[in-house]
Structure formats: C-alpha cells, structure tokens
Amino acid sequence: MNTSKTFQAACLIFLFLGNSAWSQDDPGSQAKKKEPGHGHGRGMHQSDGRHEVDHKVFQYLLQNHDKIVRTVKELPDGVETLTESDVPEVAEKIKDHVEWMAYRVENRQPIRMRDPLFAELFKHTDKIKIVHKDTEKGVKVIETSDDPYVVRLIQAHAKAVSGFVERGFAEAMKNHSVPETAESGDPEYSYPAIAEYGKVVPLPNAAQQPRDGSKIVVDVTKGGSPEKLNPAIEKVARFVNIYQGAGKKPAQVEIAIVLHGEATLTILNSDIYSKRFETKGNPNLDCLHQLHEAGVEIFVCGQSLIGKNAKQDEVVVFADVAVSALTSLVNLQADGFSYVPLGN
C-alpha cells in the first residue's frame, strides 16, 4: 500500500516508545466526536478503546527490539528510513503500530509529550510531509519538510527511534533534547537576587515550580575551609535565587538559616574571624549580608557559639543569637517552615 500525504506529523514519529502519554479518543470514537484534545487529563494517561492494544504493541516492540533492523538515510530535506524484521509477527506489529499512529497524528492526538524532542516535533506537524510504504517485512518511510528547523527535528527524531531499536526500554526511558538545546553549549546561569552567589538556570517550563507563600528553615551544620566561603551558605543563596528567578515567575518565600555545629563561627565579624583563623577577613560575610538584605533571617546557636569560645557580641550585627539551634528549629517548624538540612 502506497500512501502520500501531508500529515500533522510523521507516522513513524512514535515507533518503539514505552511509557507514552496517550490521548483520550481512539480512531473509532474520534470519527464520532471530532473534538481536539477531548478528555485530556493530567499527564494525558487516560486510556481509550484502543489504548491498551496500542500500549501492548509498544511493549512488544521494545521487548523484541533485537529482532528489528533499521536503516536511516539523511536527505537534504529530511530522512528515509526502513524498519523491518525477519520475524513475521514482529513485522506485522511494526505495520500495525505505524497505521494506528498515523491515525492518531492526523487527528491531533499526540503522545510522549513529556519527551522534549517529541513535544517540539508536535508543534510543527503541519510542516512535515510523509510517504510511507509497507514492505514484506516492515515499513519504509520518507519524511521531509521545507522548513530547515523542522528538517533538523525530523533527523533528530530518526536518531532517537534508532536508539529505541538498538537499546529498547533503556532508550525509551530517556528524554531526548531538541536540536537547539543539544547544540547550545553551556547552560545560561543567572543570579536573580544574590549577586555572584548561588547561580541558577531558568527553567520556566519545568515541573514543581516555586510556590508563593513557601517557608523554609535551613539547618546549616556543614563546615569548610576558613579561607573560603562555606559551600552550605552559598547553597542557601541558590535557594533564594531559585525562588526569585529559576521558575516561570518569581515566588514569595520566607527563608531562615540556623547556624550551628561546624558552621557556627562563619557568623563572626571580620576582625574576630581574622584573628581566629589567620585570614584576611571573613569570606562568608558578603554572601551572608546579601542574604540578610534579601530578607533571610539568620540565627546562630548560642550554645554552640559559647561552646566554641566565642562571644555574643562577636557576631555580626545582622544576625541573631538564639538560645539554641534546637529551639530555633522546633519553633520555626511549628510556625510552618519546612526543614532542609545542610550538614556534612
């Protein structure tokens, strides 16, 4: 059977996918409903009349990936692929899979939308042309586009599918980057609130975005080299930056630090710290002061402070000496703060 159409995506886009997120309507019911996006829920995992059958076909192909042979030829405007098997049952599953996926694609029923590459490809399905032909042992497909960027997507997708054939479930569990992401080099870090400390990468479309009204108490006991900024303190700066600029939008957050254990003396003023550790100043104070200016409450355990032969008046002016770390942590958690430990 020869078929030449301009689909909204390539029929073979979804070959050999496991753990896919499906649409609600099967081809039979779709002909009656004709409602794009009908029934989509969280993750689009609801089943339909065809869902279980298609899922079993995918699982079967992944389980038998070593019985499949696939070749890919890159074209100036796309790819030509041949996916076959010498095992008749596997060959029929390949054909069946492609036929039903073609129907889902034509009717705007995307799957595997958690995978960045497949999600991006579905944004440009109207720019993809496909010619597919059933062979005795499988399917031959030519996918092309007049859009250079979509050509890159098609070629990246073809490589991903070849990975499914080569590695089965191991490859199906991976996310696949879109071409721009894969070639962009180093991530773009930023410092939304605390300058030079706690760099973050903006991820506006990621799950679990920062929420307004969050309250965090950070239990800092981690020590470090006296000549360098304590890494746990810089991590608190990262927490602040996450809430101010790593998500889709800034979120209001209350953060408190409780310093004790090996982190106790990081809060000493520069003169005392320099004498104690024979350094030029206290390398922690710039970051700690910026945290204070950003609204972070800073407490040091009075019991730990005195136990390390330091005095209350040797603590920097923007920090508070608490009766103990214990009472601070208990009180703050009773006030609704979530506990985050940063220890050795």
Side-chain angles (χ1 to χ4, degrees):
M1 176 184 72
N2 286 291
T3 306
S4 178
K5 294 183 178 180
T6 300
F7 286 132
Q8 294 177 357
C11 291
L12 205 58
I13 285 174
F14 313 105
L15 190 55
F16 315 122
L17 302 184
N19 285 342
S20 298
W22 294 98
S23 61
Q24 180 75 8
D25 297 310
D26 65 25
S29 63
Q30 181 69 26
K32 300 177 181 179
K33 295 183 179 180
K34 297 293 184 180
E35 298 178 5
H38 175 82
H40 288 181
R42 183 175 181 178
M44 298 198 302
H45 280 288
Q46 286 78 11
S47 61
D48 55 41
R50 175 70 190 182
H51 177 276
E52 291 301 323
V53 177
D54 284 341
H55 183 69
K56 289 179 181 179
V57 171
F58 284 123
Q59 298 297 306
Y60 179 89
L61 291 172
L62 288 166
Q63 290 167 0
N64 292 276
H65 70 97
D66 57 343
K67 300 179 179 67
I68 299 170
V69 177
R70 176 175 165 84
T71 59
V72 178
K73 178 182 178 182
E74 287 197 357
L75 307 174
D77 56 352
V79 295
E80 178 183 310
T81 64
L82 180 63
T83 308
E84 295 184 315
S85 176
D86 290 329
V87 180
E89 183 178 0
V90 177
E92 288 305 311
K93 294 292 186 183
I94 293 172
K95 297 175 185 179
D96 182 60
H97 172 79
V98 172
E99 180 179 354
W100 283 91
M101 289 307 99
Y103 193 98
R104 287 188 181 275
V105 168
E106 285 185 284
N107 289 275
R108 302 180 67 86
Q109 299 295 325
I111 61 173
R112 198 178 169 90
M113 294 301 284
R114 289 180 180 270
D115 191 315
L117 175 59
F118 292 83
E120 180 68 12
L121 195 60
F122 250 105
K123 295 178 182 178
H124 305 277
T125 52
D126 59 331
K127 299 178 182 178
I128 297 174
K129 181 178 181 180
I130 181 170
V131 177
H132 74 97
K133 177 182 180 181
D134 288 351
T135 67
E136 181 181 352
K137 298 180 179 181
V139 179
K140 178 179 180 180
V141 177
I142 298 176
E143 298 174 76
T144 58
S145 176
D146 295 328
D147 186 315
Y149 175 65
V150 179
V151 170
R152 292 172 61 199
L153 289 175
I154 290 171
Q155 293 172 345
H157 152 259
K159 292 178 181 178
V161 173
S162 294
F164 300 144
V165 173
E166 181 180 353
R167 303 181 64 232
F169 285 103
E171 187 70 22
M173 296 300 105
K174 293 171 54 179
N175 284 315
H176 298 84
S177 299
V178 299
E180 285 186 342
T181 301
E183 299 174 6
S184 62
D186 296 333
E188 295 184 5
Y189 290 105
S190 65
Y191 303 86
I194 310 298
E196 300 182 10
Y197 303 109
K199 63 185 179 182
V200 295
V201 179
L203 297 172
N205 298 315
Q208 295 294 348
Q209 292 285 314
R211 293 180 183 176
D212 274 333
S214 296
K215 302 169 75 173
I216 304 168
V217 54
V218 187
D219 184 11
V220 182
T221 60
K222 185 178 180 65
S225 172
E227 297 83 14
K228 298 179 180 179
L229 171 64
N230 186 309
I233 293 174
E234 181 168 18
K235 188 166 286 186
V236 179
R238 178 170 293 175
F239 296 167
V240 176
N241 284 332
I242 284 173
Y243 274 84
Q244 289 302 307
K248 187 174 183 178
K249 60 182 180 179
Q252 294 292 328
V253 62
E254 294 181 52
I255 298 179
I257 307 173
V258 179
L259 299 163
H260 61 119
E262 296 304 312
T264 302
L265 300 181
T266 59
I267 202 64
L268 296 178
N269 68 55
S270 291
D271 292 342
I272 299 299
Y273 190 96
S274 297
K275 292 177 182 178
R276 186 144 186 163
F277 296 108
E278 298 182 350
T279 61
K280 294 182 178 180
N282 183 343
N284 301 287
L285 293 189
D286 183 47
C287 184
L288 284 168
H289 186 255
Q290 287 199 55
L291 289 172
H292 167 71
E293 291 293 317
V296 175
E297 292 186 276
I298 303 172
F299 300 98
V300 61
C301 174
Q303 306 304 309
S304 296
L305 191 70
I306 295 170
K308 291 182 179 295
N309 298 316
K311 300 176 182 179
Q312 293 186 53
D313 61 5
E314 294 174 346
V315 172
V316 291
V317 68
F318 55 80
D320 293 311
V321 178
V323 169
S324 68
L326 172 66
T327 56
S328 300
L329 294 170
V330 169
N331 292 344
L332 287 162
Q333 289 181 82
D335 290 338
F337 283 71
S338 297
Y339 176 75
V340 177
L342 291 181
N344 292 319

